[in-house]
Amino acid sequence: MLSGTLANGWKATRRLLPTLLLGLVGGALAYGAGLPLPWLLGAMLVTTAASLTGVRLRSPGGSRQVVLVIIGVMLGTAFSPGMSGDLLHWGASLIIMLLATAVMMAISVSFSRRVAGYSADTALYAGVPGGVSAVTLMAMNSRADLRIVGMTHAVRILILLLAIPPILQSIGHVSLQPGTRDLAQWLWLPSLGETGWLIAAGVGGSWLGRRLRLPNALLFGPALVSAALHITGMSQAAIPPTVMALAQVVIGVSVGVRFAGTSLREMGRNLLMAALQAVMLLLVAVLAAWGAHELTGYSPAAALLAYMPGGAPELSLVALSLNIDPAFVTSHHLLRISVLILAMPVLLNYCKKQSA
């Protein structure tokens, strides 16, 4: 039994190796060229290009789940005992984020219905600004076109990640140049005790996230446990840079392979609709971040990553990689996904009544 499971696991890993190697090559080239977010964007761009040209790449399903746990633990390390946080500013920012999310939902659903001509189910699930995993599972029990829903979210995440460097560059106050590390820094590992705390946070957080039925349980569960350990001072462990780079590669690859089987000729119009919708929602996020900065004085870069419509793992990882207040960004995405999931049944009934 065990030998059979290990054999199947090895076969799955072996089939995934070409995809991961392609992502590593893309990340290494981007890192060598000095591009911002090299391991994430490099892996994403090469696998997206390969997928659109017809290359069949295997999705890192199981690997992505492991990476979500790792990212969750990494996000928790951003908390510290001295972190008091400006609760008034956080509270005001969370309210602004929810208002911006409502505007995004209205724009995306209206655009999908009136311009793209999608059904009410498809428009709603494709228009949700975030929570792609949970949204896709919910869409399976509806009459939504899953191909359009998945592609719309994939295009949105792709555009957001590509837009982050130039937008942050224009904002300033953030260094986008990848830090140079020598071999010793790349090979650094935490102590045995610190490694134990990190593993405990990952395993315990995964269990807790599922037990509490958190949205994206494998991400937010470990993040909560890791944050608790670091806030209380029980642990000061950090994630090795090599693990962080590999996590970026897997996330980048997981975005790129979503375009597998997509024909530019057959799906050209839907791709265009998804791109236009993504740009509109991005503009809403930019305006909301600017408004939040003016009202609260909070970092516009952190507000932008917190308000961007999609990809909690991807955007939280960007915040962590660029050291842009990961705790702030993660908290916003957790609240948004939780509210959206709770509101989806009500929103779906409303859309159906409007279209009746």
Side-chain angles (χ1 to χ4, degrees):
M1 184 73 175
L2 179 59
S3 60
T5 302
L6 292 175
N8 291 333
W10 168 244
K11 288 180 181 178
T13 302
R14 188 173 56 187
R15 288 194 295 266
L16 180 62
L17 279 178
T19 304
L20 291 179
L21 287 175
L22 181 61
L24 283 169
V25 169
L29 291 174
Y31 181 81
L35 297 181
L37 297 170
W39 299 103
L40 175 64
L41 295 183
M44 183 184 72
L45 289 174
V46 295
T47 51
T48 298
S51 296
L52 290 176
T53 55
V55 178
R56 297 183 65 86
L57 297 173
R58 186 167 293 274
S59 174
S63 299
R64 178 181 167 83
Q65 291 182 342
V66 174
V67 166
L68 286 178
V69 174
I70 294 173
I71 294 174
V73 174
M74 287 193 296
L75 292 172
T77 65
F79 292 81
S80 64
M83 178 181 289
S84 57
D86 191 328
L87 297 182
L88 178 61
H89 286 184
W90 274 44
S93 179
L94 288 168
I95 293 173
I96 294 172
M97 180 271 297
L98 291 177
L99 292 174
T101 299
V103 173
M104 291 178 189
M105 280 292 297
I107 291 175
S108 60
V109 173
S110 178
F111 177 83
S112 296
R113 291 285 286 150
R114 298 180 182 181
V115 180
Y118 299 152
S119 68
D121 290 47
T122 301
L124 181 63
Y125 288 110
V128 175
V132 59
S133 300
V135 168
T136 303
L137 288 175
M138 296 174 73
M140 289 179 179
N141 297 319
S142 71
R143 296 180 179 178
D145 186 326
L146 296 180
R147 185 76 176 273
I148 292 177
V149 171
M151 185 179 62
T152 301
H153 282 275
V155 170
R156 184 186 305 151
I157 293 173
L158 177 69
I159 289 177
L160 291 180
L161 292 177
L162 290 176
I164 285 173
I167 294 178
L168 291 184
Q169 194 73 50
S170 65
I171 291 175
H173 311 293
V174 176
S175 175
L176 296 179
Q177 294 303 316
T180 56
R181 292 188 174 97
D182 56 28
L183 183 60
Q185 290 174 312
W186 277 112
L187 297 179
W188 174 84
L189 293 173
S191 67
L192 189 60
E194 290 177 334
T195 301
W197 280 118
L198 294 174
I199 294 174
V203 175
S206 299
W207 176 84
L208 181 65
R210 286 171 169 154
R211 184 78 173 180
L212 297 178
R213 297 183 178 179
L214 294 176
N216 214 331
L218 294 180
L219 175 72
F220 291 120
L224 290 176
V225 173
S226 178
L229 291 173
H230 285 78
I231 287 177
T232 58
M234 295 178 65
S235 172
Q236 296 180 348
I239 296 290
T242 304
V243 175
M244 185 177 293
L246 290 175
Q248 292 186 48
V249 169
V250 173
I251 292 297
V253 164
S254 68
V255 174
V257 299
R258 290 177 187 173
F259 295 92
T262 300
S263 168
L264 291 177
R265 180 178 300 176
E266 295 176 2
M267 300 293 290
R269 181 180 181 277
N270 292 328
L271 285 170
L272 177 61
M273 293 295 103
L276 290 175
Q277 184 193 101
V279 171
M280 288 189 293
L281 299 190
L282 177 59
L283 289 176
V284 174
V286 171
L287 291 174
W290 175 80
H293 171 65
E294 292 295 317
L295 289 173
T296 67
Y298 214 84
S299 162
L304 178 65
L305 293 180
Y307 298 170
M308 276 189 163
E314 291 83 2
L315 294 172
S316 296
L317 183 59
V318 170
L320 191 68
S321 302
L322 298 178
N323 195 28
I324 305 177
D325 207 337
F328 176 86
V329 174
T330 303
S331 300
H332 282 66
H333 282 283
L334 174 58
L335 177 62
R336 174 165 57 194
I337 294 174
S338 300
V339 170
L340 285 172
I341 290 176
L342 291 174
M344 284 300 290
V346 177
L347 293 174
L348 185 59
N349 288 333
Y350 176 79
C351 288
K352 288 182 176 180
K353 287 181 180 179
Q354 291 295 107
S355 61

